[in-house]
Amino acid sequence: MFMRISSALLLLALAGCGTKAEAPRGDMIDCALDGAAEFAKTCTVERGESGLTVRRPDAGFRRFTVTARGVETDGAEIAEPQADGSVKVGADRYRLPK
């Protein structure tokens, strides 16, 4: 009897651990993360008053500001425009909306 009760409690505890994944906010965009050669539509972008927020599938994010001089980030890494129209920051590349 003790074994059945403890098994049932364990199952209830495990069932409570799962959380429903939150749907990505914003529009899906192409990105090539961590030095990937190919782009995939796995990032989302949100427009805000101060610029764009790009969210990675691993919950990381970058903030961009579009200025007359180009695209800038709010972090320490520099946004570098690429010949294919994407923007590179560190080992990541993003195809930002116009």
Side-chain angles (χ1 to χ4, degrees):
M1 172 111 170
F2 175 73
M3 191 63 132
R4 278 192 228 160
I5 293 172
S6 61
S7 296
L9 290 175
L10 178 62
L11 285 175
L12 285 173
L14 289 175
C17 289
T19 59
K20 188 174 180 180
E22 188 176 313
R25 293 176 280 169
D27 298 322
M28 298 298 291
I29 63 166
D30 290 328
C31 55
L33 304 174
D34 302 319
E38 300 294 320
F39 283 91
K41 200 170 284 292
T42 56
C43 295
T44 59
V45 64
E46 299 173 55
R47 292 180 189 272
E49 289 180 22
S50 61
L52 303 173
T53 300
V54 176
R55 297 187 185 281
R56 299 168 50 111
D58 64 2
F61 67 93
R62 294 192 189 270
R63 289 200 174 100
F64 295 92
T65 303
V66 180
T67 67
R69 295 184 313 226
V71 177
E72 299 174 358
T73 63
D74 70 350
E77 296 180 285
I78 298 171
E80 303 170 21
Q82 303 295 295
D84 65 0
S86 66
V87 175
K88 182 177 181 185
V89 181
D92 302 331
R93 293 179 295 143
Y94 304 95
R95 289 190 176 140
L96 300 175
K98 304 234 186 265

